[in-house]
mmCIF file of all heavy atoms in Angstrom:
data_model
loop_
_atom_site.group_PDB
_atom_site.id
_atom_site.type_symbol
_atom_site.label_atom_id
_atom_site.label_comp_id
_atom_site.label_asym_id
_atom_site.label_seq_id
_atom_site.Cartn_x
_atom_site.Cartn_y
_atom_site.Cartn_z
ATOM 1 N N ASP A 19 108.371 88.545 97.357
ATOM 2 C CA ASP A 19 108.062 87.515 98.280
ATOM 3 C C ASP A 19 109.371 86.691 98.701
ATOM 4 O O ASP A 19 109.423 86.191 99.771
ATOM 5 C CB ASP A 19 107.156 86.473 97.566
ATOM 6 C CG ASP A 19 105.772 87.097 97.384
ATOM 7 O OD1 ASP A 19 105.130 87.554 98.343
ATOM 8 O OD2 ASP A 19 105.218 86.950 96.287
ATOM 9 N N GLY A 20 110.445 86.803 97.855
ATOM 10 C CA GLY A 20 111.548 86.013 98.105
ATOM 11 C C GLY A 20 112.328 86.495 99.358
ATOM 12 O O GLY A 20 113.103 85.669 99.976
ATOM 13 N N CYS A 21 112.167 87.640 99.839
ATOM 14 C CA CYS A 21 112.852 88.136 101.061
ATOM 15 C C CYS A 21 111.925 88.021 102.282
ATOM 16 O O CYS A 21 112.302 88.490 103.289
ATOM 17 C CB CYS A 21 113.328 89.539 100.891
ATOM 18 S SG CYS A 21 112.021 90.885 100.721
ATOM 19 N N ARG A 22 110.708 87.537 102.073
ATOM 20 C CA ARG A 22 109.743 87.477 103.046
ATOM 21 C C ARG A 22 109.287 86.089 103.535
ATOM 22 O O ARG A 22 108.360 85.891 104.319
ATOM 23 C CB ARG A 22 108.397 88.051 102.585
ATOM 24 C CG ARG A 22 108.645 89.585 102.195
ATOM 25 C CD ARG A 22 107.416 90.188 101.595
ATOM 26 N NE ARG A 22 107.546 91.579 101.289
ATOM 27 C CZ ARG A 22 106.589 92.487 100.753
ATOM 28 N NH1 ARG A 22 105.464 91.968 100.572
ATOM 29 N NH2 ARG A 22 106.891 93.720 100.520
ATOM 30 N N VAL A 23 110.177 85.144 103.168
ATOM 31 C CA VAL A 23 109.923 83.721 103.477
ATOM 32 C C VAL A 23 110.027 83.556 104.988
ATOM 33 O O VAL A 23 111.008 84.051 105.650
ATOM 34 C CB VAL A 23 110.829 82.736 102.735
ATOM 35 C CG1 VAL A 23 110.636 81.291 103.238
ATOM 36 C CG2 VAL A 23 110.587 82.848 101.291
ATOM 37 N N PRO A 24 109.116 82.872 105.665
ATOM 38 C CA PRO A 24 109.212 82.758 107.127
ATOM 39 C C PRO A 24 110.494 82.154 107.736
ATOM 40 O O PRO A 24 111.214 81.344 107.043
ATOM 41 C CB PRO A 24 107.958 81.783 107.454
ATOM 42 C CG PRO A 24 107.039 82.163 106.391
ATOM 43 C CD PRO A 24 107.779 82.387 105.191
ATOM 44 N N LEU A 25 110.847 82.632 108.869
ATOM 45 C CA LEU A 25 112.083 82.381 109.532
ATOM 46 C C LEU A 25 112.192 80.868 109.913
ATOM 47 O O LEU A 25 111.321 80.299 110.377
ATOM 48 C CB LEU A 25 112.458 83.227 110.657
ATOM 49 C CG LEU A 25 112.489 84.760 110.481
ATOM 50 C CD1 LEU A 25 112.884 85.436 111.738
ATOM 51 C CD2 LEU A 25 113.537 85.100 109.372
ATOM 52 N N PRO A 26 113.490 80.324 109.906
ATOM 53 C CA PRO A 26 113.733 79.088 110.467
ATOM 54 C C PRO A 26 114.212 79.131 111.945
ATOM 55 O O PRO A 26 115.268 79.676 112.001
ATOM 56 C CB PRO A 26 114.760 78.425 109.519
ATOM 57 C CG PRO A 26 115.595 79.713 109.001
ATOM 58 C CD PRO A 26 114.619 80.773 109.044
ATOM 59 N N TRP A 27 113.553 78.545 112.856
ATOM 60 C CA TRP A 27 113.941 78.611 114.222
ATOM 61 C C TRP A 27 114.657 77.376 114.730
ATOM 62 O O TRP A 27 115.673 77.429 115.432
ATOM 63 C CB TRP A 27 112.634 78.827 115.073
ATOM 64 C CG TRP A 27 112.122 80.213 114.882
ATOM 65 C CD1 TRP A 27 111.092 80.578 113.984
ATOM 66 C CD2 TRP A 27 112.613 81.482 115.452
ATOM 67 N NE1 TRP A 27 110.904 81.962 114.170
ATOM 68 C CE2 TRP A 27 111.835 82.602 114.888
ATOM 69 C CE3 TRP A 27 113.701 81.807 116.297
ATOM 70 C CZ2 TRP A 27 112.019 83.870 115.276
ATOM 71 C CZ3 TRP A 27 113.853 83.039 116.686
ATOM 72 C CH2 TRP A 27 113.089 84.217 116.163
ATOM 73 N N SER A 28 114.100 76.128 114.366
ATOM 74 C CA SER A 28 114.689 74.999 114.899
ATOM 75 C C SER A 28 114.250 73.752 114.050
ATOM 76 O O SER A 28 113.371 73.881 113.167
ATOM 77 C CB SER A 28 114.068 74.720 116.439
ATOM 78 O OG SER A 28 112.739 74.647 116.334
ATOM 79 N N GLY A 29 114.787 72.613 114.304
ATOM 80 C CA GLY A 29 114.454 71.410 113.706
ATOM 81 C C GLY A 29 115.364 71.148 112.338
ATOM 82 O O GLY A 29 116.027 72.022 111.978
ATOM 83 N N LYS A 30 115.084 69.946 111.862
ATOM 84 C CA LYS A 30 115.785 69.575 110.659
ATOM 85 C C LYS A 30 115.113 69.721 109.339
ATOM 86 O O LYS A 30 115.698 69.558 108.225
ATOM 87 C CB LYS A 30 116.158 68.082 110.783
ATOM 88 C CG LYS A 30 116.998 67.843 112.066
ATOM 89 C CD LYS A 30 118.342 68.369 111.986
ATOM 90 C CE LYS A 30 119.241 67.955 113.176
ATOM 91 N NZ LYS A 30 120.512 68.618 113.300
ATOM 92 N N GLU A 31 113.865 70.121 109.346
ATOM 93 C CA GLU A 31 112.996 70.248 108.109
ATOM 94 C C GLU A 31 111.920 71.225 108.337
ATOM 95 O O GLU A 31 111.506 71.554 109.482
ATOM 96 C CB GLU A 31 112.488 68.809 107.653
ATOM 97 C CG GLU A 31 111.456 68.253 108.844
ATOM 98 C CD GLU A 31 111.138 66.813 108.440
ATOM 99 O OE1 GLU A 31 111.807 66.148 107.685
ATOM 100 O OE2 GLU A 31 109.989 66.502 108.947
ATOM 101 N N PRO A 32 111.349 71.756 107.259
ATOM 102 C CA PRO A 32 110.285 72.740 107.331
ATOM 103 C C PRO A 32 109.085 72.186 108.160
ATOM 104 O O PRO A 32 108.905 70.920 108.069
ATOM 105 C CB PRO A 32 109.830 73.005 105.859
ATOM 106 C CG PRO A 32 111.092 72.626 105.060
ATOM 107 C CD PRO A 32 111.694 71.456 105.843
ATOM 108 N N PRO A 33 108.497 72.937 109.006
ATOM 109 C CA PRO A 33 108.547 74.483 109.046
ATOM 110 C C PRO A 33 109.538 75.078 110.005
ATOM 111 O O PRO A 33 109.498 76.220 110.395
ATOM 112 C CB PRO A 33 107.188 74.856 109.441
ATOM 113 C CG PRO A 33 106.686 73.718 110.358
ATOM 114 C CD PRO A 33 107.264 72.527 109.779
ATOM 115 N N PHE A 34 110.587 74.203 110.346
ATOM 116 C CA PHE A 34 111.688 74.730 111.140
ATOM 117 C C PHE A 34 111.253 75.554 112.438
ATOM 118 O O PHE A 34 111.853 76.529 112.729
ATOM 119 C CB PHE A 34 112.663 75.532 110.310
ATOM 120 C CG PHE A 34 113.288 74.906 109.219
ATOM 121 C CD1 PHE A 34 113.105 75.313 107.888
ATOM 122 C CD2 PHE A 34 114.110 73.822 109.417
ATOM 123 C CE1 PHE A 34 113.745 74.582 106.817
ATOM 124 C CE2 PHE A 34 114.701 73.119 108.365
ATOM 125 C CZ PHE A 34 114.519 73.481 107.123
ATOM 126 N N GLY A 35 110.140 74.967 113.068
ATOM 127 C CA GLY A 35 109.770 75.638 114.294
ATOM 128 C C GLY A 35 109.079 76.855 114.123
ATOM 129 O O GLY A 35 108.817 77.566 115.129
ATOM 130 N N PHE A 36 108.686 77.265 112.853
ATOM 131 C CA PHE A 36 107.925 78.505 112.617
ATOM 132 C C PHE A 36 106.577 78.438 113.289
ATOM 133 O O PHE A 36 105.925 79.437 113.715
ATOM 134 C CB PHE A 36 107.871 78.842 111.194
ATOM 135 C CG PHE A 36 106.957 79.946 110.831
ATOM 136 C CD1 PHE A 36 107.393 81.287 111.013
ATOM 137 C CD2 PHE A 36 105.735 79.718 110.194
ATOM 138 C CE1 PHE A 36 106.631 82.333 110.688
ATOM 139 C CE2 PHE A 36 104.896 80.779 109.848
ATOM 140 C CZ PHE A 36 105.368 82.041 110.015
ATOM 141 N N GLY A 37 105.885 77.260 113.135
ATOM 142 C CA GLY A 37 104.570 77.134 113.561
ATOM 143 C C GLY A 37 103.846 76.169 112.688
ATOM 144 O O GLY A 37 104.335 75.062 112.395
ATOM 145 N N GLY A 38 102.690 76.672 112.070
ATOM 146 C CA GLY A 38 101.994 75.888 111.048
ATOM 147 C C GLY A 38 102.616 75.841 109.726
ATOM 148 O O GLY A 38 103.750 76.419 109.576
ATOM 149 N N GLU A 39 102.094 75.298 108.733
ATOM 150 C CA GLU A 39 102.674 75.251 107.425
ATOM 151 C C GLU A 39 102.727 76.668 106.879
ATOM 152 O O GLU A 39 101.841 77.366 106.820
ATOM 153 C CB GLU A 39 101.764 74.464 106.460
ATOM 154 C CG GLU A 39 102.362 74.370 105.044
ATOM 155 C CD GLU A 39 101.497 73.637 104.042
ATOM 156 O OE1 GLU A 39 100.605 72.852 104.556
ATOM 157 O OE2 GLU A 39 101.797 73.589 102.868
ATOM 158 N N PRO A 40 103.998 77.189 106.695
ATOM 159 C CA PRO A 40 104.166 78.572 106.372
ATOM 160 C C PRO A 40 103.400 79.123 105.167
ATOM 161 O O PRO A 40 103.294 78.339 104.149
ATOM 162 C CB PRO A 40 105.799 78.725 106.209
ATOM 163 C CG PRO A 40 106.308 77.510 106.895
ATOM 164 C CD PRO A 40 105.198 76.477 106.738
ATOM 165 N N TRP A 41 103.112 80.244 105.103
ATOM 166 C CA TRP A 41 102.321 80.901 104.020
ATOM 167 C C TRP A 41 103.191 81.034 102.835
ATOM 168 O O TRP A 41 102.751 81.048 101.628
ATOM 169 C CB TRP A 41 101.842 82.414 104.409
ATOM 170 C CG TRP A 41 102.860 83.373 104.606
ATOM 171 C CD1 TRP A 41 103.568 83.479 105.813
ATOM 172 C CD2 TRP A 41 103.320 84.381 103.717
ATOM 173 N NE1 TRP A 41 104.339 84.632 105.653
ATOM 174 C CE2 TRP A 41 104.198 85.157 104.444
ATOM 175 C CE3 TRP A 41 102.882 84.730 102.486
ATOM 176 C CZ2 TRP A 41 104.835 86.259 103.789
ATOM 177 C CZ3 TRP A 41 103.475 85.873 101.913
ATOM 178 C CH2 TRP A 41 104.466 86.697 102.625
ATOM 179 N N LEU A 42 104.553 81.042 102.895
ATOM 180 C CA LEU A 42 105.473 80.739 101.696
ATOM 181 C C LEU A 42 106.370 79.702 102.200
ATOM 182 O O LEU A 42 106.891 79.537 103.387
ATOM 183 C CB LEU A 42 106.287 82.014 101.464
ATOM 184 C CG LEU A 42 105.488 83.222 100.795
ATOM 185 C CD1 LEU A 42 106.352 84.504 100.813
ATOM 186 C CD2 LEU A 42 105.151 82.886 99.412
ATOM 187 N N PRO A 43 106.768 78.745 101.323
ATOM 188 C CA PRO A 43 107.556 77.555 101.663
ATOM 189 C C PRO A 43 108.948 77.957 101.848
ATOM 190 O O PRO A 43 109.608 78.762 101.164
ATOM 191 C CB PRO A 43 107.499 76.751 100.460
ATOM 192 C CG PRO A 43 107.115 77.601 99.309
ATOM 193 C CD PRO A 43 106.218 78.672 99.861
ATOM 194 N N GLN A 44 109.585 77.277 102.990
ATOM 195 C CA GLN A 44 111.001 77.479 103.332
ATOM 196 C C GLN A 44 111.876 76.385 102.552
ATOM 197 O O GLN A 44 111.409 75.229 102.496
ATOM 198 C CB GLN A 44 111.161 77.278 104.846
ATOM 199 C CG GLN A 44 110.388 78.329 105.597
ATOM 200 C CD GLN A 44 110.051 77.613 107.037
ATOM 201 O OE1 GLN A 44 109.642 76.547 107.152
ATOM 202 N NE2 GLN A 44 110.426 78.319 108.053
ATOM 203 N N PRO A 45 112.970 76.729 102.085
ATOM 204 C CA PRO A 45 113.769 75.745 101.446
ATOM 205 C C PRO A 45 114.345 74.730 102.511
ATOM 206 O O PRO A 45 114.695 75.084 103.639
ATOM 207 C CB PRO A 45 115.021 76.533 100.934
ATOM 208 C CG PRO A 45 114.550 78.068 101.024
ATOM 209 C CD PRO A 45 113.527 78.152 102.134
ATOM 210 N N ALA A 46 114.340 73.504 102.036
ATOM 211 C CA ALA A 46 114.992 72.483 102.879
ATOM 212 C C ALA A 46 116.353 72.752 103.309
ATOM 213 O O ALA A 46 116.927 72.356 104.323
ATOM 214 C CB ALA A 46 114.816 71.025 102.277
#
């Protein structure tokens, strides 16, 4: 799972433009 965390696209905080609340949390 650690290599599958959703990508950060934009913004200053999660979900970083990914979309909805990611299925795995992104690090701040």
Side-chain angles (χ1 to χ4, degrees):
D19 292 314
C21 66
R22 301 174 175 185
V23 174
L25 295 188
W27 291 97
S28 60
K30 302 294 187 182
E31 59 187 25
F34 296 121
F36 172 74
E39 182 178 352
W41 65 281
L42 288 172
Q44 303 154 308

